[in-house]
Amino acid sequence: MDAVEMYRTMCLIRVFEDRMAEIYTEGKTPLFSIAAGPVPGEMHLAAGQEPVAVGIAAHLRPDDVMTAPHRPHHAAIAKGVDLKAMTAEIFGKATGLSKGKGGHMHLFDTRVHFSCSGIVGAGLPPAVGAAMAIRRQGRDGVAVALAGEGAANQGTFHESLNLAALWKAPVVFVLEDNHYAISVPKQQSTAVTRNSDRAVAYGMPGVYIAGNDVMAISEAAEEAVARAREGRGPTLIEVETTRLYGHFQGDAEAYLTAGQKDAWRRQDLIPRFRNDLLAREWLTEEQDQEIQAEVRQMVEEAIEYARSSPDPEPSDAFDDVFCEMEGV
């Protein structure tokens, strides 16, 4: 994936997230009800974190595995998850990835080997398992696990890194350091300044990337993915990024200091990356306009597909389950 294509994908993610922020409020005002509107339930948006997913996914193939946390849309889009089916799933429609039964925190697309979970740190062990399955199959694929910096204090993080290092599993661990685990700042929850420093305890490389720099992320990912494919074991990458929306939609963000969000928006990577591409003459104003029109059309088509799709039938609740209790 070249720089312009990475820019295009980041723009697609941003437009999608901004539109979902708008749609989520439908039917939830003036009295907020999490169950109301076309998108019921919680909503965690990843606007601002696009460089992480795009920089990592630039070096993955469709048969490589990616797991993500409860803030998954940027990773799903970067990995190539079907946008219409993903949007329909978020709307709870029968045409969704999981027939409307998973919602936005439980997106699964076997076509591109993507999954996510609403439980903090839950995607790390399955990524190690997927990496070992890839090895047993004799393939040169890799698995990538994305998680927030708060997940580094979960037992699953340490268990997964330890086992992956011990077995030299072809897996890359990526921590998105967006400063806050829900409302708790990193410095109040974590004993080390950089979670990437923890990699040395497990005998693997640890890389910290500041500034939400998509090109630096891509370079680190290229090396880490190559290392995994060559059988040289796992890597831990931590990226300093930002979430431009709250932990969830409706978050009052009272924990932020005055002007903090404005400062983050002034450092938004997407316009900075656009200006850099224009300065390098890798992108023209006309091409940028075409990209903006294209991604907006893709998002609106996906939203219309979701809105017009049928709701699941009540009887569908008993389909696609491991077991069904007799008489229930």
mmCIF file of all heavy atoms in Angstrom, residues 16 66 68-69 71-74 76-77 81 85-90 97-98 102-110 114-118:
data_model
loop_
_atom_site.group_PDB
_atom_site.id
_atom_site.type_symbol
_atom_site.label_atom_id
_atom_site.label_comp_id
_atom_site.label_asym_id
_atom_site.label_seq_id
_atom_site.Cartn_x
_atom_site.Cartn_y
_atom_site.Cartn_z
ATOM 1 N N PHE A 16 -16.406 7.705 7.746
ATOM 2 C CA PHE A 16 -17.299 6.713 8.332
ATOM 3 C C PHE A 16 -17.543 7.000 9.817
ATOM 4 O O PHE A 16 -18.690 7.004 10.279
ATOM 5 C CB PHE A 16 -16.709 5.311 8.165
ATOM 6 C CG PHE A 16 -17.598 4.219 8.700
ATOM 7 C CD1 PHE A 16 -18.639 3.726 7.939
ATOM 8 C CD2 PHE A 16 -17.404 3.694 9.968
ATOM 9 C CE1 PHE A 16 -19.480 2.729 8.426
ATOM 10 C CE2 PHE A 16 -18.223 2.705 10.471
ATOM 11 C CZ PHE A 16 -19.280 2.217 9.699
ATOM 12 N N MET A 66 -6.167 -10.585 12.008
ATOM 13 C CA MET A 66 -6.132 -9.390 12.855
ATOM 14 C C MET A 66 -7.246 -9.475 13.889
ATOM 15 O O MET A 66 -8.395 -9.741 13.557
ATOM 16 C CB MET A 66 -6.289 -8.108 12.040
ATOM 17 C CG MET A 66 -6.323 -6.839 12.912
ATOM 18 S SD MET A 66 -6.571 -5.309 11.974
ATOM 19 C CE MET A 66 -4.903 -5.012 11.362
ATOM 20 N N ALA A 68 -8.982 -7.148 17.156
ATOM 21 C CA ALA A 68 -9.063 -5.755 17.591
ATOM 22 C C ALA A 68 -9.909 -5.659 18.861
ATOM 23 O O ALA A 68 -10.641 -6.592 19.198
ATOM 24 C CB ALA A 68 -9.673 -4.894 16.483
ATOM 25 N N PRO A 69 -9.822 -4.527 19.551
ATOM 26 C CA PRO A 69 -10.620 -4.337 20.770
ATOM 27 C C PRO A 69 -12.013 -3.804 20.462
ATOM 28 O O PRO A 69 -12.490 -3.883 19.322
ATOM 29 C CB PRO A 69 -9.781 -3.327 21.558
ATOM 30 C CG PRO A 69 -9.147 -2.494 20.489
ATOM 31 C CD PRO A 69 -8.900 -3.413 19.324
ATOM 32 N N ARG A 71 -13.001 -0.833 20.150
ATOM 33 C CA ARG A 71 -12.974 0.361 19.298
ATOM 34 C C ARG A 71 -12.409 -0.100 17.957
ATOM 35 O O ARG A 71 -11.237 0.152 17.636
ATOM 36 C CB ARG A 71 -12.081 1.427 19.942
ATOM 37 C CG ARG A 71 -12.235 2.825 19.370
ATOM 38 C CD ARG A 71 -11.306 3.828 20.080
ATOM 39 N NE ARG A 71 -11.431 3.782 21.520
ATOM 40 C CZ ARG A 71 -12.425 4.323 22.220
ATOM 41 N NH1 ARG A 71 -13.372 4.980 21.605
ATOM 42 N NH2 ARG A 71 -12.475 4.217 23.543
ATOM 43 N N PRO A 72 -13.222 -0.766 17.115
ATOM 44 C CA PRO A 72 -12.646 -1.567 16.034
ATOM 45 C C PRO A 72 -12.803 -1.068 14.608
ATOM 46 O O PRO A 72 -12.225 -1.655 13.694
ATOM 47 C CB PRO A 72 -13.432 -2.871 16.174
ATOM 48 C CG PRO A 72 -14.813 -2.403 16.532
ATOM 49 C CD PRO A 72 -14.631 -1.136 17.350
ATOM 50 N N HIS A 73 -13.609 -0.024 14.360
ATOM 51 C CA HIS A 73 -13.967 0.288 12.977
ATOM 52 C C HIS A 73 -12.764 0.607 12.107
ATOM 53 O O HIS A 73 -12.699 0.202 10.945
ATOM 54 C CB HIS A 73 -14.948 1.470 12.916
ATOM 55 C CG HIS A 73 -16.200 1.263 13.692
ATOM 56 N ND1 HIS A 73 -17.019 2.300 14.081
ATOM 57 C CD2 HIS A 73 -16.784 0.136 14.184
ATOM 58 C CE1 HIS A 73 -18.057 1.836 14.749
ATOM 59 N NE2 HIS A 73 -17.927 0.518 14.845
ATOM 60 N N HIS A 74 -11.796 1.359 12.664
ATOM 61 C CA HIS A 74 -10.626 1.727 11.851
ATOM 62 C C HIS A 74 -9.829 0.497 11.446
ATOM 63 O O HIS A 74 -9.371 0.381 10.304
ATOM 64 C CB HIS A 74 -9.755 2.721 12.609
ATOM 65 C CG HIS A 74 -9.178 2.225 13.891
ATOM 66 N ND1 HIS A 74 -9.865 1.427 14.778
ATOM 67 C CD2 HIS A 74 -7.939 2.429 14.464
ATOM 68 C CE1 HIS A 74 -9.093 1.152 15.816
ATOM 69 N NE2 HIS A 74 -7.939 1.752 15.649
ATOM 70 N N ALA A 76 -11.016 -2.622 11.228
ATOM 71 C CA ALA A 76 -11.816 -3.431 10.310
ATOM 72 C C ALA A 76 -11.728 -2.896 8.884
ATOM 73 O O ALA A 76 -11.526 -3.654 7.926
ATOM 74 C CB ALA A 76 -13.266 -3.469 10.780
ATOM 75 N N ILE A 77 -11.875 -1.587 8.742
ATOM 76 C CA ILE A 77 -11.816 -0.990 7.400
ATOM 77 C C ILE A 77 -10.423 -1.148 6.811
ATOM 78 O O ILE A 77 -10.268 -1.484 5.631
ATOM 79 C CB ILE A 77 -12.238 0.488 7.462
ATOM 80 C CG1 ILE A 77 -13.726 0.589 7.815
ATOM 81 C CG2 ILE A 77 -11.953 1.193 6.136
ATOM 82 C CD1 ILE A 77 -14.218 2.007 8.084
ATOM 83 N N VAL A 81 -12.464 -5.368 5.742
ATOM 84 C CA VAL A 81 -13.788 -5.888 6.049
ATOM 85 C C VAL A 81 -14.823 -5.211 5.143
ATOM 86 O O VAL A 81 -14.729 -4.017 4.861
ATOM 87 C CB VAL A 81 -14.124 -5.645 7.536
ATOM 88 C CG1 VAL A 81 -15.593 -5.946 7.831
ATOM 89 C CG2 VAL A 81 -13.229 -6.504 8.421
ATOM 90 N N ALA A 85 -21.574 -4.730 4.796
ATOM 91 C CA ALA A 85 -21.954 -5.750 5.768
ATOM 92 C C ALA A 85 -21.597 -5.310 7.184
ATOM 93 O O ALA A 85 -22.330 -5.595 8.138
ATOM 94 C CB ALA A 85 -21.277 -7.082 5.433
ATOM 95 N N MET A 86 -20.478 -4.602 7.340
ATOM 96 C CA MET A 86 -20.083 -4.107 8.650
ATOM 97 C C MET A 86 -21.081 -3.063 9.137
ATOM 98 O O MET A 86 -21.500 -3.080 10.314
ATOM 99 C CB MET A 86 -18.683 -3.503 8.598
ATOM 100 C CG MET A 86 -18.174 -3.021 9.944
ATOM 101 S SD MET A 86 -16.527 -2.282 9.873
ATOM 102 C CE MET A 86 -16.948 -0.566 9.599
ATOM 103 N N THR A 87 -21.480 -2.149 8.274
ATOM 104 C CA THR A 87 -22.428 -1.108 8.655
ATOM 105 C C THR A 87 -23.777 -1.721 9.007
ATOM 106 O O THR A 87 -24.413 -1.321 9.992
ATOM 107 C CB THR A 87 -22.582 -0.084 7.522
ATOM 108 O OG1 THR A 87 -21.287 0.383 7.126
ATOM 109 C CG2 THR A 87 -23.416 1.110 7.968
ATOM 110 N N ALA A 88 -24.209 -2.697 8.237
ATOM 111 C CA ALA A 88 -25.461 -3.379 8.540
ATOM 112 C C ALA A 88 -25.390 -4.080 9.890
ATOM 113 O O ALA A 88 -26.381 -4.099 10.638
ATOM 114 C CB ALA A 88 -25.788 -4.383 7.437
ATOM 115 N N GLU A 89 -24.252 -4.639 10.227
ATOM 116 C CA GLU A 89 -24.091 -5.276 11.536
ATOM 117 C C GLU A 89 -24.200 -4.251 12.655
ATOM 118 O O GLU A 89 -24.843 -4.493 13.687
ATOM 119 C CB GLU A 89 -22.737 -5.991 11.612
ATOM 120 C CG GLU A 89 -22.499 -6.751 12.904
ATOM 121 C CD GLU A 89 -23.499 -7.872 13.098
ATOM 122 O OE1 GLU A 89 -23.934 -8.476 12.097
ATOM 123 O OE2 GLU A 89 -23.844 -8.157 14.262
ATOM 124 N N ILE A 90 -23.602 -3.085 12.463
ATOM 125 C CA ILE A 90 -23.676 -2.025 13.464
ATOM 126 C C ILE A 90 -25.126 -1.579 13.663
ATOM 127 O O ILE A 90 -25.551 -1.262 14.783
ATOM 128 C CB ILE A 90 -22.784 -0.846 13.051
ATOM 129 C CG1 ILE A 90 -21.303 -1.278 13.062
ATOM 130 C CG2 ILE A 90 -22.990 0.358 13.959
ATOM 131 C CD1 ILE A 90 -20.366 -0.271 12.431
ATOM 132 N N LEU A 97 -22.604 -8.668 9.157
ATOM 133 C CA LEU A 97 -21.563 -9.699 9.203
ATOM 134 C C LEU A 97 -21.979 -10.906 10.039
ATOM 135 O O LEU A 97 -21.661 -12.045 9.705
ATOM 136 C CB LEU A 97 -20.278 -9.099 9.773
ATOM 137 C CG LEU A 97 -19.563 -8.060 8.918
ATOM 138 C CD1 LEU A 97 -18.493 -7.341 9.742
ATOM 139 C CD2 LEU A 97 -18.931 -8.707 7.690
ATOM 140 N N SER A 98 -22.670 -10.645 11.145
ATOM 141 C CA SER A 98 -23.153 -11.725 12.012
ATOM 142 C C SER A 98 -24.675 -11.703 12.106
ATOM 143 O O SER A 98 -25.259 -12.020 13.147
ATOM 144 C CB SER A 98 -22.528 -11.596 13.412
ATOM 145 O OG SER A 98 -21.124 -11.732 13.351
ATOM 146 N N GLY A 102 -24.198 -9.352 16.570
ATOM 147 C CA GLY A 102 -22.970 -8.980 17.275
ATOM 148 C C GLY A 102 -22.857 -7.505 17.601
ATOM 149 O O GLY A 102 -22.341 -7.128 18.643
ATOM 150 N N GLY A 103 -23.312 -6.660 16.684
ATOM 151 C CA GLY A 103 -23.170 -5.232 16.887
ATOM 152 C C GLY A 103 -21.758 -4.753 16.656
ATOM 153 O O GLY A 103 -20.874 -5.501 16.228
ATOM 154 N N HIS A 104 -21.518 -3.496 16.997
ATOM 155 C CA HIS A 104 -20.273 -2.870 16.572
ATOM 156 C C HIS A 104 -19.046 -3.372 17.335
ATOM 157 O O HIS A 104 -17.925 -3.262 16.838
ATOM 158 C CB HIS A 104 -20.409 -1.343 16.687
ATOM 159 C CG HIS A 104 -19.669 -0.722 17.810
ATOM 160 N ND1 HIS A 104 -18.440 -0.123 17.650
ATOM 161 C CD2 HIS A 104 -19.954 -0.608 19.130
ATOM 162 C CE1 HIS A 104 -18.014 0.343 18.819
ATOM 163 N NE2 HIS A 104 -18.905 0.061 19.727
ATOM 164 N N MET A 105 -19.203 -3.957 18.512
ATOM 165 C CA MET A 105 -18.048 -4.454 19.271
ATOM 166 C C MET A 105 -17.720 -5.910 18.970
ATOM 167 O O MET A 105 -16.762 -6.451 19.514
ATOM 168 C CB MET A 105 -18.294 -4.298 20.776
ATOM 169 C CG MET A 105 -18.223 -2.865 21.267
ATOM 170 S SD MET A 105 -18.265 -2.736 23.069
ATOM 171 C CE MET A 105 -20.004 -2.981 23.383
ATOM 172 N N HIS A 106 -18.511 -6.538 18.096
ATOM 173 C CA HIS A 106 -18.289 -7.954 17.798
ATOM 174 C C HIS A 106 -18.412 -8.162 16.296
ATOM 175 O O HIS A 106 -19.368 -8.758 15.808
ATOM 176 C CB HIS A 106 -19.279 -8.836 18.568
ATOM 177 C CG HIS A 106 -19.224 -8.609 20.046
ATOM 178 N ND1 HIS A 106 -20.084 -7.744 20.701
ATOM 179 C CD2 HIS A 106 -18.391 -9.098 20.985
ATOM 180 C CE1 HIS A 106 -19.790 -7.729 21.984
ATOM 181 N NE2 HIS A 106 -18.760 -8.523 22.187
ATOM 182 N N LEU A 107 -17.429 -7.648 15.582
ATOM 183 C CA LEU A 107 -17.391 -7.737 14.123
ATOM 184 C C LEU A 107 -16.506 -8.909 13.715
ATOM 185 O O LEU A 107 -15.362 -9.010 14.162
ATOM 186 C CB LEU A 107 -16.839 -6.440 13.524
ATOM 187 C CG LEU A 107 -17.567 -5.145 13.921
ATOM 188 C CD1 LEU A 107 -16.801 -3.934 13.402
ATOM 189 C CD2 LEU A 107 -19.003 -5.138 13.411
ATOM 190 N N PHE A 108 -17.037 -9.777 12.864
ATOM 191 C CA PHE A 108 -16.280 -10.934 12.405
ATOM 192 C C PHE A 108 -16.407 -11.043 10.891
ATOM 193 O O PHE A 108 -17.523 -11.043 10.355
ATOM 194 C CB PHE A 108 -16.795 -12.228 13.045
ATOM 195 C CG PHE A 108 -16.639 -12.263 14.541
ATOM 196 C CD1 PHE A 108 -17.604 -11.725 15.370
ATOM 197 C CD2 PHE A 108 -15.513 -12.834 15.113
ATOM 198 C CE1 PHE A 108 -17.458 -11.742 16.748
ATOM 199 C CE2 PHE A 108 -15.345 -12.859 16.486
ATOM 200 C CZ PHE A 108 -16.325 -12.316 17.308
ATOM 201 N N ASP A 109 -15.290 -11.096 10.204
ATOM 202 C CA ASP A 109 -15.287 -11.279 8.755
ATOM 203 C C ASP A 109 -14.255 -12.349 8.421
ATOM 204 O O ASP A 109 -13.050 -12.076 8.373
ATOM 205 C CB ASP A 109 -14.957 -9.964 8.043
ATOM 206 C CG ASP A 109 -15.200 -10.038 6.532
ATOM 207 O OD1 ASP A 109 -15.279 -11.169 6.000
ATOM 208 O OD2 ASP A 109 -15.317 -8.979 5.886
ATOM 209 N N THR A 110 -14.728 -13.568 8.216
ATOM 210 C CA THR A 110 -13.814 -14.683 7.931
ATOM 211 C C THR A 110 -13.131 -14.518 6.585
ATOM 212 O O THR A 110 -12.057 -15.090 6.373
ATOM 213 C CB THR A 110 -14.585 -16.015 7.957
ATOM 214 O OG1 THR A 110 -15.677 -15.964 7.011
ATOM 215 C CG2 THR A 110 -15.158 -16.279 9.347
ATOM 216 N N PHE A 114 -10.742 -11.235 10.201
ATOM 217 C CA PHE A 114 -10.811 -10.144 11.178
ATOM 218 C C PHE A 114 -11.819 -10.468 12.261
ATOM 219 O O PHE A 114 -12.891 -11.005 11.988
ATOM 220 C CB PHE A 114 -11.214 -8.831 10.500
ATOM 221 C CG PHE A 114 -11.350 -7.682 11.471
ATOM 222 C CD1 PHE A 114 -10.249 -6.913 11.804
ATOM 223 C CD2 PHE A 114 -12.574 -7.395 12.072
ATOM 224 C CE1 PHE A 114 -10.360 -5.871 12.722
ATOM 225 C CE2 PHE A 114 -12.694 -6.348 12.983
ATOM 226 C CZ PHE A 114 -11.584 -5.589 13.306
ATOM 227 N N SER A 115 -11.479 -10.100 13.504
ATOM 228 C CA SER A 115 -12.429 -10.240 14.608
ATOM 229 C C SER A 115 -12.120 -9.183 15.658
ATOM 230 O O SER A 115 -11.037 -8.604 15.678
ATOM 231 C CB SER A 115 -12.347 -11.637 15.234
ATOM 232 O OG SER A 115 -11.104 -11.827 15.876
ATOM 233 N N CYS A 116 -13.092 -8.928 16.530
ATOM 234 C CA CYS A 116 -12.869 -8.003 17.629
ATOM 235 C C CYS A 116 -13.723 -8.439 18.806
ATOM 236 O O CYS A 116 -14.568 -9.331 18.686
ATOM 237 C CB CYS A 116 -13.176 -6.570 17.228
ATOM 238 S SG CYS A 116 -14.892 -6.276 16.724
ATOM 239 N N SER A 117 -13.493 -7.811 19.963
ATOM 240 C CA SER A 117 -14.199 -8.204 21.176
ATOM 241 C C SER A 117 -14.466 -6.996 22.054
ATOM 242 O O SER A 117 -13.679 -6.048 22.086
ATOM 243 C CB SER A 117 -13.378 -9.228 21.962
ATOM 244 O OG SER A 117 -13.978 -9.512 23.218
ATOM 245 N N GLY A 118 -15.568 -7.050 22.803
ATOM 246 C CA GLY A 118 -15.898 -5.978 23.722
ATOM 247 C C GLY A 118 -15.167 -6.066 25.040
ATOM 248 O O GLY A 118 -15.297 -5.179 25.885
#
